[in-house]
Amino acid sequence: MTSTVLNLSSKSWPKSFLVFSILIWYGLYESLTPISEWLVSLLPVDRQTRLGGALQFFLYDTPKVLLLLTAVVFVMGMVNSYFTPERTRVILAGKSEGVGNIMAASLGIVTPFCSCSAVPLFIGFVQAGVPLGITFSFLISAPMVNEVALTLLFSMFGWKVAGLYLILGLSVAIVSGWVIGKLKLENYLEDWVRNMPKAVASIGDDQLTLSDRIESGKASVKEIVAKVWPYIIVGIAVGAGIHGYVPEDFMASLMGKDAWWSVPIAVLIGVPMYTNAAGIIPIVEALLAKGAALGTVLAFMMSVIALSLPEMIILRKVLKLRLIIIFASIVATGILLVGYIFNAVL
Amino acid sequence: MMEVKVLGTGCSNCKATVKLVEEIAKEKGASINMEKVEDIQDIMKFNILSTPGVVIDGKVVHAGGIPSREKVEAWFA
């Protein structure tokens, strides 16, 4: 019932729909603390106990993260409708190295594509004359620096950490792509990819109205939030458990700043793991609260998202093994540096 | 008989697209011949950048993500 009413209004009154949604969202966000405290007070658990603390953490954090995520995914869905992969390809075709790498990494944040499109996208870019290194800058940045990762970092650690992650994530994508471009590795593309006919990059018409863009924002929410919410709840539950029960400074010796070897180990553990930002960040939060160093934890997170084994296997269809190994080593080196820089700066 | 091809390497979005197209074609009483194209070299022949893609009678009508219900309904109207 509600959804048909909203549907109607977002199609015929797009601006009022937006204002109305923002007001509801803000009202909900402002009532998070009172509602979570009230819910805990209803439970037969003392608020001051460990269990009470863990429950309050869970009941406050879950709706907060979901609200922020819904808002950001919605806005990004609207922004994404301006940047189709086709349009991005036109922008990047024939760009020179350097500037091209920077543009590619930045477009990686706003251009929507699902991970199973990595191969068609890769081939389509190369066919249209986007240089290999620039294509890689795009492919590295797109999954690593995404709206889900940034929202979660922001909602849990504030804008400084989210900003640092954005800048360093982009840097890894720009520099890794630039290095790959300099190495002239075109020979390590699979033969059939090199032999594909060149394509001319062109853009189709794009006559989207505001209500079309709102629809595309809603579609993103439906697709992304519907997919990640179970990870978030499990993650926050684990986080809440660690929050309530693991002693302070427990992680300090394992993942603290003084343990220099913890960064490479975190990256090595991260690569074979495959989950998304949503599943990992709540756990990251709890680890940090118990003394793990931010750089180590973020390096772990980046390697989980940017260097996953399934993605390597998919890319094997278009890249020779040697290029995949070079690609993974360069990105891993970048992530290691990010880990050490975070640890040194914060 | 319409020749419908769904292009995609087999991720969940591609499967959902196949299901949606079959469902709506049935509702609309359109007779279709559905083919799933999963080989990456075959997919690339259609010059699309993101999957899932939908091809009807040799023409690409959709690429990137699950198509909306309205869009699919329009194909079989």
Side-chain angles (χ1 to χ4, degrees), chain A residues 29 32 36 54-70 152 155-156 229-238 240 282 285:
Chain A
Y29 193 78
L32 282 173
S36 65
L55 284 172
Q56 197 273 336
F57 178 90
F58 182 77
L59 290 173
Y60 170 77
D61 244 40
T62 312
K64 175 178 136 184
V65 170
L66 289 176
L67 270 176
L68 278 165
L69 194 67
T70 305
L152 291 171
S155 59
M156 295 179 169
W229 72 265
Y231 293 94
I232 293 185
I233 292 190
V234 171
I236 295 175
V238 172
E285 181 187 22

Side-chain angles (χ1 to χ4, degrees), chain A residues 31-241:
Chain A
S31 12
L32 282 173
T33 306
I35 289 180
S36 65
E37 291 291 354
W38 177 70
L39 283 173
V40 177
S41 72
L42 292 183
L43 296 169
V45 175
D46 185 358
R47 172 71 183 81
Q48 301 311 319
T49 61
R50 285 182 166 176
L51 183 61
L55 284 172
Q56 197 273 336
F57 178 90
F58 182 77
L59 290 173
Y60 170 77
D61 244 40
T62 312
K64 175 178 136 184
V65 170
L66 289 176
L67 270 176
L68 278 165
L69 194 67
T70 305
V72 175
V73 167
F74 178 78
V75 172
M76 285 303 291
M78 289 182 68
V79 173
N80 285 346
S81 67
Y82 293 89
F83 296 92
T84 60
E86 288 73 19
R87 184 166 287 195
T88 298
R89 176 168 78 163
V90 172
I91 298 174
L92 294 177
K95 279 281 171 315
S96 58
E97 315 250 305
V99 180
N101 294 105
I102 296 171
M103 287 178 71
S106 317
L107 285 166
I109 307 174
V110 289
T111 307
F113 80 97
C114 112
S115 62
C116 48
S117 297
V119 167
L121 207 82
F122 184 92
I123 300 172
F125 274 36
V126 172
Q127 260 186 305
V130 178
L132 192 60
I134 293 179
T135 305
F136 268 109
S137 282
F138 179 82
L139 274 185
I140 297 166
S141 134
M144 185 163 66
V145 190
N146 64 50
E147 65 264 31
V148 178
L150 289 173
T151 315
L152 291 171
L153 286 174
F154 170 78
S155 59
M156 295 179 169
F157 314 116
W159 63 270
K160 274 189 195 160
V161 171
L164 210 52
Y165 181 86
L166 171 71
I167 292 166
L168 293 175
L170 282 176
S171 310
V172 169
I174 293 166
V175 175
S176 304
W178 185 77
V179 171
I180 290 172
K182 283 285 158 209
L183 291 175
K184 302 260 175 279
L185 299 169
E186 279 76 2
N187 288 338
Y188 296 114
L189 293 174
E190 279 295 338
D191 298 332
W192 71 270
V193 177
R194 273 187 295 155
N195 296 334
M196 291 212 56
K198 289 272 164 284
V200 179
S202 62
I203 331 176
D205 317 345
D206 174 15
Q207 301 292 340
L208 295 180
T209 61
L210 179 60
S211 60
D212 290 334
R213 300 199 195 280
I214 293 177
E215 289 308 309
S216 117
K218 283 205 232 161
S220 309
V221 169
K222 218 167 119 191
E223 198 183 315
I224 298 175
V225 180
K227 204 186 286 170
V228 303
W229 72 265
Y231 293 94
I232 293 185
I233 292 190
V234 171
I236 295 175
V238 172

Side-chain angles (χ1 to χ4, degrees), chain A residues 114-120 314 317, chain B residues 6-12 14-15 37-41 43 51-53:
Chain A
C114 112
S115 62
C116 48
S117 297
V119 167
I314 295 175
K317 289 179 184 159
Chain B
V6 172
L7 318 174
T9 44
C11 66
S12 60
C14 312
K15 287 178 193 138
V37 182
E38 295 195 347
D39 185 80
I40 186 71
Q41 301 198 32
I43 293 175
T51 56

